[in-house]
Amino acid sequence: MTVKRTHVLKTALSLFHREGFSNVGVDRIVAESNTAKMTFYKYFPTKIRLIEECLKLESLTIQNSLNSHLMKSNTSDPLKKLQAIYKWHYEFVQADQFNGSLFHKAASTFLPEDGSIFDIIDQHKKWQFNLIKQQLVEFQVKQPEVLGSLLMNMLDGMLSNARDDHLVFNGIWPLLEATLMCHKTALCS
């Protein structure tokens, strides 16, 4: 990836995060990235293609950040890893620069026939689900797919309700932990 292409991509990503996809046009991206329009179209033949590349970069950035967070948690305990995944999401939405999930913005802005946007969103969600499910399998809960879906929906909800004062990490995690323990010990059906 060339330096100029990377610069345009990061400029567009920043703008899309702040203002959404509909409010940012190619002319604005070209101006703010100090790039010739011809150069822009050399790398991104359409705005949809640019958005697809931005979503891929967003997914890769999240994956790297979450994997790094898991490594720093320095544990092999799957319950602690699930807690680290939850904590990462909580900290992600509390960050000053967070202005909603780029994946949610894309899903609410575009149609399924708009390029491969929904395929990229689905790939990201599958990666996240597999990460969570792996921990649930290692924790030996019953129905790891069902609990994985439940946790995915909860984390997705955190991204939708960003900065909600009712999302208190120390208050929600014990409830999740109790649910997971219940499903591990077969006290829950």
Side-chain angles (χ1 to χ4, degrees), residues 99-116:
N99 190 27
S101 163
L102 205 60
F103 299 107
H104 289 175
K105 289 177 185 181
S108 66
T109 302
F110 300 103
L111 299 172
E113 56 269 13
D114 289 332
S116 62

Side-chain angles (χ1 to χ4, degrees), residues 73-92:
S73 72
N74 198 27
T75 184
S76 60
D77 179 349
L79 185 60
K80 297 276 188 214
K81 286 184 179 182
L82 287 165
Q83 184 179 21
I85 291 168
Y86 173 83
K87 186 177 181 186
W88 181 91
H89 280 80
Y90 179 78
E91 291 171 354
F92 184 69

Side-chain angles (χ1 to χ4, degrees), residues 1-2 5-14 16-17 21 29 40-62 102-103 106 110 114-121 123:
M1 192 179 308
T2 68
R5 183 180 189 279
T6 302
H7 179 66
V8 170
L9 195 56
K10 288 183 177 181
T11 300
L13 191 60
S14 175
F16 293 149
H17 269 292
F21 296 107
I29 296 165
F40 173 89
Y41 283 113
K42 173 184 164 189
Y43 296 122
F44 309 103
T46 65
K47 183 179 175 185
I48 292 289
R49 183 72 180 125
L50 171 67
I51 291 166
E52 291 168 349
E53 292 301 313
C54 283
L55 290 171
K56 288 176 186 176
L57 179 59
E58 180 77 351
S59 180
L60 184 61
T61 302
I62 288 171
L102 205 60
F103 299 107
F110 300 103
D114 289 332
S116 62
I117 289 172
F118 283 88
D119 292 335
I120 296 164
I121 294 169
Q123 287 171 6

Side-chain angles (χ1 to χ4, degrees), residues 4-178:
K4 194 58 159 175
R5 183 180 189 279
T6 302
H7 179 66
V8 170
L9 195 56
K10 288 183 177 181
T11 300
L13 191 60
S14 175
L15 289 168
F16 293 149
H17 269 292
R18 284 194 319 259
E19 300 177 32
F21 296 107
S22 300
N23 297 327
V24 178
V26 169
D27 289 338
R28 173 108 180 265
I29 296 165
V30 165
E32 294 211 16
S33 65
N34 198 24
T35 303
K37 203 176 237 187
M38 196 165 110
T39 302
F40 173 89
Y41 283 113
K42 173 184 164 189
Y43 296 122
F44 309 103
T46 65
K47 183 179 175 185
I48 292 289
R49 183 72 180 125
L50 171 67
I51 291 166
E52 291 168 349
E53 292 301 313
C54 283
L55 290 171
K56 288 176 186 176
L57 179 59
E58 180 77 351
S59 180
L60 184 61
T61 302
I62 288 171
Q63 289 177 38
N64 289 339
S65 177
L66 190 45
N67 284 328
S68 174
H69 189 76
L70 285 171
M71 293 290 285
K72 288 178 186 171
S73 72
N74 198 27
T75 184
S76 60
D77 179 349
L79 185 60
K80 297 276 188 214
K81 286 184 179 182
L82 287 165
Q83 184 179 21
I85 291 168
Y86 173 83
K87 186 177 181 186
W88 181 91
H89 280 80
Y90 179 78
E91 291 171 354
F92 184 69
V93 301
Q94 296 302 314
D96 288 337
Q97 69 273 17
F98 185 78
N99 190 27
S101 163
L102 205 60
F103 299 107
H104 289 175
K105 289 177 185 181
S108 66
T109 302
F110 300 103
L111 299 172
E113 56 269 13
D114 289 332
S116 62
I117 289 172
F118 283 88
D119 292 335
I120 296 164
I121 294 169
D122 289 344
Q123 287 171 6
H124 178 75
K125 289 188 178 292
K126 284 177 187 170
W127 168 82
Q128 187 179 24
F129 176 78
N130 288 332
L131 178 68
I132 291 168
K133 182 182 164 194
Q134 176 186 350
Q135 303 315 313
L136 292 168
V137 167
E138 288 178 24
F139 193 57
Q140 300 177 345
V141 297
K142 289 183 174 182
Q143 301 177 316
E145 292 85 8
V146 173
L147 283 172
S149 292
L150 177 69
L151 287 171
M152 280 287 298
N153 284 316
M154 187 213 57
L155 294 173
D156 209 35
M158 286 175 71
L159 296 174
S160 293
N161 298 317
R163 300 184 185 275
D164 188 337
D165 290 340
H166 302 291
L167 287 175
V168 179
F169 174 76
N170 292 327
I172 293 174
W173 177 253
L175 295 173
L176 291 173
E177 185 175 19

